Structure formats: structure tokens, C-alpha cells
Amino acid sequence: MSSAAPHPAGHDQLWSVDEHLEDILATVRPLEPIELQLLDAQGCVLVEDVTVPVSLPPFDNSSMDGYAVRVADVAGASEEFPASLEVVGDVAAGQADLLHVGPGQAARIMTGAPLPPGAETVVPVEWTDGGLDEGPVTGMLARALAPEGAQGHVQVYRQAAARAHVRAQGSDVKAGDRALESGTVLGPPQIALLAAIGRGTVRVRPRPRVVVMSTGSELVPPGEDLGSGQIYDSNSFALTAAARDAGAIAYRVGAVADDAETLRSTIEDQLVRADLMVTTGGVSVGAYDVVKEALSQVGDDEDEAGGGVEFRKLAMQPGKPQGFGSIGPDHTPLLALPGNPVSSYVSFELFVRPAIRALMGLEEVHRPRTRATLTADKALTSPKGRRQFLRGAYADGAVTPVGGAGSHLVAALAHADALIVVPEDVESVEPGTEVEVVLLG
Amino acid sequence: MSSAAPHPAGHDQLWSVDEHLEDILATVRPLEPIELQLLDAQGCVLVEDVTVPVSLPPFDNSSMDGYAVRVADVAGASEEFPASLEVVGDVAAGQADLLHVGPGQAARIMTGAPLPPGAETVVPVEWTDGGLDEGPVTGMLARALAPEGAQGHVQVYRQAAARAHVRAQGSDVKAGDRALESGTVLGPPQIALLAAIGRGTVRVRPRPRVVVMSTGSELVPPGEDLGSGQIYDSNSFALTAAARDAGAIAYRVGAVADDAETLRSTIEDQLVRADLMVTTGGVSVGAYDVVKEALSQVGDDEDEAGGGVEFRKLAMQPGKPQGFGSIGPDHTPLLALPGNPVSSYVSFELFVRPAIRALMGLEEVHRPRTRATLTADKALTSPKGRRQFLRGAYADGAVTPVGGAGSHLVAALAHADALIVVPEDVESVEPGTEVEVVLLG
């Protein structure tokens, strides 16, 4: 492959944004599932149908702090004519050996504790004198302070129907029910349910490991002094942050100089920890575009499907030069983005983010889009035949351009929350026109 | 403090949801700012106004791969009558020592490279023969493959105006401009800008460290076998995940048995790594509600402002019993939530999440709310005087209840994405009525 070689003008195929994206999504396959500890699976996609192994709650239990009694023993009870019952002991949550509640008896019971044998209903402590013989109470004294509360007598001031304040076994979920379906994204409430039914681990697609590498001999890490002709490396920081934001585990390699051999060996070194590799810079038509040069030699065998990295010109602005393919023994997908900070960021949003989310097995790989009314002082202009992505601020159905169309306006990017899409066949958009907007969320 | 002691009925103050929330937000202060590495500051709130130390781009540079030339030398050039210029060498990005471009000369220049002295404009390589003398080309050969490209002659087929394809120094941001304001949340585009202007570290409020602890002798970790009267601990998992989701660094301690001394020493141990402590269970009126019992003794000196943990009854369902206060030498805020999984989750959403986001210094501490039309088979009923939060599924302006009002329906929670709010003074909501909805995102 010698993509950097000059060809007679006009022979280059121009790819559309959609063609490039389709090629990426047709190539990138979801990662193989692994079994993860519940909290390590947060944000991941479940790849098993989870059934409930044991009914919840697993036993009839009290929904109140109070007394477990027989219905007949409190029938007709009132403040004037309370039922007086013998307290046979405490039933606390988690208690294994249960008391038996006989006629004329009550067991002091705590929220979540199993309904003891013999008991038919629960009267809340607020309907009793709490065994203190001083009228209705609002709670119980801590057992440590007043162990005598578990004995003596209690006055009950109200009757209770059978199974009042009792949560029935299986009333939440029943053994054999489907708890969660394959494909569910595990957020906190899903983790709550999995834990509640006793699942300590689950089978999910892991977060992809994304290695981010910027290239360019002019790049200096932020915090150091700029020499003549140098600029700060922002892409490796921005795209590492963006990859994390998309759900990946991202590794920032930083800036590699424009030397094909160095770049090649760095990429080969990093392959071991990459499910996806992202480079910026070095993909255009210049004599120093070493990503092109280097990747023509680390590529897969070109005979294999999907092997090698292909460099393309896209009908878009910013972000015309793009590379995509797979490299190394595991056919690790690689996206080579242009080096300009805004071009690389827009390219990430359009191509890398969906690739990361496809690796995760998510159904929704794209940012949400909406339509909005353009608010601007003058018409937007856009080059014919190119799909343009302008930075914009979106609010309440309207979008306002931020900064100009210049692809180097990283300052404007930091104040935008949307991309305004100007289609290929549109060269001018008047204020007040409805436009498509990608919400950067 | 002896909060667990029974009082004559009717003497308990009933707090409203808003009063409890106001008390929390009036007490919880944003964490002290620290200087963090750029990528460690992702998602954090900036607490300095950042000005641009050096203009971007820091020097006039080429926006294309091509040739840096004098305007007069290419005036009137066409395919028929090309301008032939002597190539004096390459100007690559990052190159410190620049060539001088004299009359009749051209320097081969790469995107991002400084415009060399003497040159006035840039002609893209596609407007030239690339020095190959075979008509227009689409790019340059890699320097490693064809070093002769940096010498010889080039034919230029089109003229260029002064400063065409030149990005002017300071055209993105100027030294002294405000780059980002204090209070900005640092997402990927803001990190891009900070890196681009050379900031390696920034002053932000750190992510709060949240310790999550469930209490209850009945709790068994998921993955183990359930004994008689036991259930699985789901709260410590759910709330750890939810705390992370809110932006915190969360530590899951797991379930502590209902023993005040054990709980007290565990809390004291954990204080060292907590900016906020969250417990579940043990806050109601029962004799085994050890959170109440234990926290009456680890509290601050009650004479100090904000000292100690106060246990309250809230006019809400689920989530009536709640504790809030501060403990230990650093007055670490503590929220004690009820033990029921749905009650604790709803309480987290309403009270803990805003507290975490207040610690982060975020302006928006609450989940977004909207109004939606209730879709249901029958009217919703709600207890008088209590604000009810029902689990619902929201889509396109309509909300449908998921599961019943029973506070133990953790299965329903996992299929909900919204909370339906039924105000204190409403006891019944007919289908088709507009209701307030909290979007759980």
C-alpha cells in the first residue's frame, strides 16, 4: 500500500460521511462477553437473560416495627378497650430461630423480620403502648438500652386484618421470573435488582480499551515551554477524555514525533492493551504524514477481510482526510483522524464514539439528533459537495453558531454543545431555516 | 441524644421533602479546590478564570500541504502557463530553523508548519505538479521514500492571494482572552482548549469520596447462600453505583450487622476516606435500629453548629424515616437512609445525589423534571399529607407507572426511568392528568 503516493488529480474516490461510518460499523464487532463483579459491570451491556433464582421477598415479613399477633386476639381492640397480650420475645431481621406466637401472645417484630409461626398479622408499635403501660408510643427503646421490651405485656389499641403490614413471599419477584433481558444496560437500579436476587457476578461485554495517540513533531505537552514553531498537544487529552465519556477505558500515549519507524514501534507496543486504536495527525497528503506511511507496514495481510488501514478523503468539513482499518495479529480496529484539534474532535464524535459504543454492544451508538431553527446574523455558507459540521449552542429548539467555520477554532468548540449539520447539496443556510443538529450532551 | 426513645404519640415533627432537602443543601459546602492534572479534572468544576497565556495559533502557519511562495511569483499562473519555482527545501510542522523564501523560490510546506520568512501565501500541492513534472498531483510522496521532493523545481498551476491557506497568529484565541470561566464543568472540549493553551494542571473542586454502608443482620452478600430469614444486600451495591453515576468516587463498605458498637467503630474507621457518608437501614422506630443508636454517640459535640445526626420523619412515601447531620472531627456530612431498597434508592435520588453535586460545586444539583400525562388503567392513589414518588416509564410526554406503590418492588425500579411525583394534598390522580416527573436519566 502506498496511499501517500501522488496520483493524477481526479482519480481519488471521495467517500461520503455515511459510507465511511457504515464501513466502520460493519467492521467493528462487539467485544466478547466476560463475567464481571457486579460493580465492575456498571454501564456495561448484559449478555444473558437473568432469571430470578429465589422469590423476593424470600419469606413473609413485617413491613413495620410492631407486634406479630393473631387476628382474633386484637379483634375489636380500641384505646378504650385495648387487647392485652403477653410478649414472648423479639423477632429481629435476620433472626433464624423464630418464636411461636400462641393465643393471647405477641412477638415484638422489626421491619423485615420473618412473620413468626402462629402469627397472622402485624400491629405497628404506634398502635400500642410499646409495653410501657403509658398509652400510645411512637417507637421502641433500643434493645441495648431496654432489654425488658422483649417481655412483659403490651396493650394493643387497634385491630388488624389478617396479613396486615405483612409483605408476602414472592410479592416483588417470583423464582423463575425474568429479571433482566440480555441487552439491558446496567445502571444503578439494575445493579440493585441483580444484587437483590443474589447475583454477585454477571456476564457482560466489557468496556473497550482505547489507546489514544497524537502524532506531530510540533507537539509539546501542556505545562512545558513552547519552542519556535511548536504548539501544545491537545488531541491526546481531548480524545482520551472523550473516549472515557463514551464509556471506554482510555489510555493516553501522548504525542509521537513524525518519524515512521518510531510511530510504527509505538503502535506495535500499544497493541497489546488496545481494543481500538485512535491516532491523530499524519493522514493528509503531505510528505511528513507518517501515520499513512507507518500504517502501510503494520497492517494485516491485505488478503484477509478487513486487513490493513485505508486512507480516504471524505466529503465533509472539517475532517476530510481519514484512515480506517485493522492492524496486528488480532485485527485491532484503528481510526486515524486528522491532526487539527477541531477536525479530530468532530471526527471522534462522528466515527470513534459510535465505534466505541458498538464494541460495548450498545444498540444506540449515535448521539441524539434533533431539528432546530438557525439563529444567526447572516447566512451560513458551506462548500458544495461537502457535509459541513459547524459548532453551535443549542437551546429550546434554536441553535446559534459558535465561532467560525475555521477548523482550528478550538476555543469555539469549548463553548459549543451541538454540531450544526449542513448537507452536501446546501451551500447557504438563511437565518430562521430549520437545520439538523447533533446534540453533544 | 436518644432519638430511639418512644415519645407520646403526636409530638413528632413531620418534615416536608423540601425542608429536609433545604437543610441538607444549606449544610453541605463545596469541597476545597485542588490543583489536578488535566485528565484527572474531567467532569470537575473549574474554580479559576483561565486566561490565554499565548495566542493560538502561536504563529502564522499553513492550513494545507503545499508550497509557501511569494504572491507575485504565482500571479496569473494557470495549467497552460504554470509558474516554475525553485524549491529551496521543506518546512515541516515543529521545525525551528526556517528557510527564507526569495523571489522565484518556493518552500515545500506541511499543514501546521510556520509560514517561512519571505513567503506571503501558500498554494496547495493539488495546484502544482509536486515537483514531478507530470501535471497536477493529489499529494506528496513521503519524504522517507522521496527526499528529492524537497529540491528541484515545482510547477504552480493557479495563483493565490496574499495569505491564502494561512492561519494567522492569534486567529483562534489571543493572549489575555478569557478561555474559560470559573464554574465551567470540564468536559472533553474544555479539556481540549486547556491543553491547547498549555495548561497541564487546573484548579478544580475534586470529586467527593462517598462511603456507602448498608446495615442489617439479615443481609448476605450476593453470590452467597441465603440462610433462614436472610436476604441479599442490594443497597450497598445500588448506592455505590448511583454515587459514581452522580460523579463521586464511591467506596462500598457492605453490610454491617445490627450491633451499635460494631457500626460505630466501622463508621469511625471509614471517616478518614469520606467526604460524605451514606448508610442504609436502622433509622426507623424499632428496637434494633442501630444506626440511630450508634450515631447518637459518634456525633459532633452538640454545642457546635451542624453537629450530630438528627433523625426525622418525612412527609413522603417511600422514605419516611431519614437521618442527616455531620460526624467526626471534620464534621463529615452523613445521610442515613431507610433500609428498604426502593426507599433507599428514592431517598438517594432526592437527597444524596444533590448533596454529592453540591460537594462538587455544581450549579445544577437536581435531576431534570418535566410534566407528563399520566397513562394508567386506573387512578393512582396516594396517602394524604405525604408526597409520593412512584416509579414510572417516561416517553414522549407521557408517563406510565411501573409496578405498584409497595416500597419493596425493586424489580419495578429496574424497569423505571422516572419518578412520578404526587403532591401532599393529592390523594388520587386520574389517568390523563398532567403530573410532575423526575427524569432519572
Side-chain angles (χ1 to χ4, degrees):
Chain A
M1 195 163 60
S2 58
S3 313
H7 305 284
H11 279 217
D12 271 10
Q13 186 198 348
L14 206 59
W15 289 60
S16 74
V17 172
D18 295 334
E19 285 166 347
H20 185 61
L21 184 60
E22 272 166 30
D23 186 34
I24 292 167
L25 293 180
T27 305
V28 171
R29 302 257 61 87
L31 294 177
E32 284 301 307
I34 57 173
E35 190 86 10
L36 284 184
Q37 294 288 323
L38 212 44
L39 283 175
D40 292 336
Q42 185 171 358
C44 294
V45 175
L46 191 67
V47 289
E48 54 170 334
D49 290 329
V50 174
T51 47
V52 178
V54 58
S55 297
L56 290 183
F59 44 84
D60 291 347
N61 69 94
S62 179
S63 68
M64 301 289 278
D65 299 307
Y67 292 85
V69 300
R70 288 163 176 259
V71 172
D73 286 341
V74 294
S78 66
E79 287 209 31
E80 201 173 352
F81 302 106
S84 180
L85 301 174
E86 178 200 1
V87 179
V88 294
D90 278 354
V91 192
Q95 193 168 314
D97 298 325
L98 297 181
L99 303 162
H100 182 270
V101 175
Q105 295 183 328
R108 199 163 69 154
I109 192 167
M110 309 303 148
T111 305
L115 190 70
E120 297 162 340
T121 191
V122 170
V123 287
V125 66
E126 293 89 343
W127 296 5
T128 76
D129 72 346
L132 301 178
D133 208 14
E134 294 173 6
V137 291
T138 57
M140 302 173 189
L141 274 172
R143 181 185 46 143
L145 303 174
E148 68 280 7
Q151 56 198 52
H153 278 76
V154 64
Q155 308 294 317
V156 178
Y157 301 119
R158 285 174 63 175
Q159 64 181 11
R163 303 184 69 75
H165 312 112
V166 172
R167 298 191 282 225
Q169 179 186 19
S171 58
D172 195 349
V173 287
K174 289 198 167 45
D177 279 1
R178 172 71 45 83
L180 292 174
E181 290 195 0
S182 181
T184 303
V185 182
L186 300 181
Q190 291 75 35
I191 286 173
L193 176 57
L194 289 167
I197 64 172
R199 289 296 298 260
T201 65
V202 275
R203 202 155 181 81
V204 295
R205 297 195 193 278
R207 294 177 179 279
R209 299 160 305 154
V210 176
V211 169
V212 177
M213 198 181 300
S214 51
T215 70
S217 297
E218 74 278 25
L219 301 178
V220 174
E224 296 190 5
D225 288 335
L226 279 188
S228 169
Q230 295 183 320
I231 58 170
Y232 289 111
D233 171 24
S234 63
N235 288 343
S236 69
F237 291 89
L239 301 194
T240 299
R244 284 185 192 163
D245 195 62
I249 297 162
Y251 303 112
R252 177 186 158 266
V253 174
V256 181
D258 287 328
D259 174 73
E261 195 43 58
T262 306
L263 181 63
R264 192 151 43 228
S265 69
T266 306
I267 289 176
E268 280 168 357
D269 275 0
Q270 294 290 333
L271 267 179
V272 67
R273 63 169 177 172
D275 295 313
L276 174 69
M277 197 161 280
V278 180
T279 66
T280 67
V283 293
S284 196
V285 299
Y288 293 70
D289 281 327
V290 294
V291 171
K292 260 186 176 170
E293 192 184 340
L295 291 183
S296 61
Q297 289 160 63
V298 266
D300 290 338
D301 187 326
E302 287 201 38
D303 294 338
E304 297 179 42
V309 175
E310 190 177 321
F311 291 88
R312 299 167 181 170
K313 288 183 181 170
L314 261 63
M316 71 180 274
Q317 186 185 61
K320 186 179 180 186
Q322 300 278 346
F324 170 65
S326 58
I327 56 168
D330 297 328
H331 303 268
T332 306
L334 180 144
L335 281 96
L337 311 183
N340 176 279
V342 174
S343 305
S344 76
Y345 191 80
V346 170
S347 303
F348 183 97
E349 283 291 341
L350 295 179
F351 306 123
V352 185
R353 194 173 206 275
I356 289 172
R357 297 177 71 80
L359 286 166
M360 295 177 76
L362 289 165
E363 269 184 43
E364 280 295 334
V365 301
H366 296 296
R367 292 278 197 192
R369 291 181 180 226
T370 189
R371 296 197 69 82
T373 306
L374 179 69
T375 309
D377 295 337
K378 53 184 171 60
L380 299 182
T381 57
S382 180
K384 188 180 166 68
R386 302 259 220 121
R387 191 179 301 180
Q388 197 181 33
F389 295 91
L390 288 160
R391 279 63 64 200
Y394 173 83
D396 302 325
V399 69
T400 312
V402 177
S407 61
H408 57 306
L409 294 168
V410 66
L413 185 65
H415 296 97
D417 60 6
L419 295 175
I420 303 169
V421 185
V422 185
E424 289 82 345
D425 56 354
V426 175
E427 290 176 70
S428 174
V429 185
E430 293 296 326
T433 308
E434 197 181 82
V435 290
E436 188 181 11
V437 163
V438 180
L439 301 174
L440 299 180
Chain B
M1 196 163 62
S2 58
S3 313
H7 303 286
H11 280 217
D12 271 11
Q13 186 198 350
L14 206 59
W15 289 60
S16 74
V17 172
D18 295 334
E19 284 166 348
H20 186 60
L21 184 59
E22 273 166 30
D23 185 34
I24 292 167
L25 294 179
T27 306
V28 171
R29 302 260 61 87
L31 295 176
E32 284 301 307
I34 56 175
E35 191 85 11
L36 284 183
Q37 294 288 322
L38 212 43
L39 283 175
D40 293 336
Q42 185 171 359
C44 293
V45 173
L46 191 67
V47 290
E48 53 171 334
D49 290 330
V50 174
T51 47
V52 178
V54 56
S55 296
L56 291 184
F59 44 84
D60 291 349
N61 69 94
S62 179
S63 68
M64 300 290 277
D65 300 307
Y67 293 84
V69 300
R70 288 163 176 262
V71 171
D73 285 341
V74 294
S78 66
E79 288 209 31
E80 203 173 353
F81 302 105
S84 182
L85 302 174
E86 177 200 3
V87 180
V88 294
D90 278 354
V91 192
Q95 193 168 313
D97 297 325
L98 298 180
L99 303 162
H100 182 270
V101 175
Q105 294 182 329
R108 198 163 69 155
I109 192 167
M110 311 302 149
T111 305
L115 191 70
E120 298 161 342
T121 190
V122 171
V123 288
V125 66
E126 293 88 343
W127 297 4
T128 76
D129 72 346
L132 301 178
D133 207 14
E134 294 173 3
V137 292
T138 57
M140 301 174 188
L141 275 172
R143 180 186 47 144
L145 304 174
E148 70 278 8
Q151 56 198 51
H153 279 76
V154 65
Q155 309 293 319
V156 177
Y157 302 118
R158 286 174 63 176
Q159 62 179 13
R163 302 184 68 76
H165 313 112
V166 173
R167 296 191 284 224
Q169 177 185 20
S171 58
D172 194 348
V173 288
K174 288 199 168 45
D177 279 1
R178 172 71 44 85
L180 292 174
E181 291 195 1
S182 180
T184 303
V185 182
L186 300 181
Q190 291 76 35
I191 286 173
L193 176 56
L194 289 166
I197 65 173
R199 289 296 298 258
T201 63
V202 275
R203 199 153 184 82
V204 296
R205 297 196 192 278
R207 295 176 179 279
R209 299 160 304 153
V210 175
V211 169
V212 177
M213 197 181 299
S214 51
T215 70
S217 298
E218 75 277 26
L219 301 178
V220 174
E224 298 190 3
D225 288 334
L226 278 188
S228 169
Q230 295 183 320
I231 59 171
Y232 289 111
D233 171 25
S234 64
N235 288 344
S236 69
F237 292 89
L239 301 194
T240 299
R244 284 185 192 162
D245 195 63
I249 296 163
Y251 302 112
R252 177 187 159 266
V253 174
V256 181
D258 287 329
D259 174 74
E261 195 43 57
T262 306
L263 180 63
R264 190 150 44 228
S265 69
T266 307
I267 289 175
E268 280 169 357
D269 275 1
Q270 294 290 334
L271 268 178
V272 67
R273 63 167 176 174
D275 295 312
L276 174 69
M277 197 161 283
V278 180
T279 66
T280 67
V283 293
S284 193
V285 298
Y288 293 70
D289 281 326
V290 294
V291 172
K292 262 187 177 171
E293 191 184 340
L295 291 182
S296 61
Q297 291 161 58
V298 265
D300 288 339
D301 188 326
E302 286 199 37
D303 294 337
E304 297 179 45
V309 175
E310 189 177 321
F311 291 88
R312 298 165 182 171
K313 288 181 180 169
L314 261 64
M316 71 179 275
Q317 184 186 62
K320 185 179 180 187
Q322 300 278 346
F324 171 64
S326 59
I327 56 169
D330 297 328
H331 303 267
T332 307
L334 181 145
L335 281 96
L337 312 184
N340 176 279
V342 174
S343 305
S344 76
Y345 191 79
V346 170
S347 303
F348 183 97
E349 284 291 341
L350 296 178
F351 306 122
V352 185
R353 195 173 206 277
I356 288 172
R357 296 175 72 80
L359 286 165
M360 294 177 76
L362 290 164
E363 268 183 45
E364 280 294 333
V365 301
H366 296 296
R367 291 279 198 190
R369 292 183 179 226
T370 188
R371 299 197 67 82
T373 306
L374 179 68
T375 309
D377 295 335
K378 53 183 170 59
L380 299 181
T381 58
S382 180
K384 187 180 167 66
R386 304 258 217 121
R387 191 178 300 180
Q388 196 182 33
F389 295 91
L390 287 159
R391 278 65 64 200
Y394 173 84
D396 302 325
V399 68
T400 312
V402 177
S407 61
H408 57 307
L409 295 168
V410 66
L413 185 66
H415 297 95
D417 60 7
L419 296 175
I420 303 168
V421 185
V422 184
E424 289 81 347
D425 57 353
V426 175
E427 291 176 70
S428 175
V429 185
E430 293 296 325
T433 308
E434 198 182 80
V435 289
E436 187 180 12
V437 163
V438 181
L439 300 173
L440 298 179

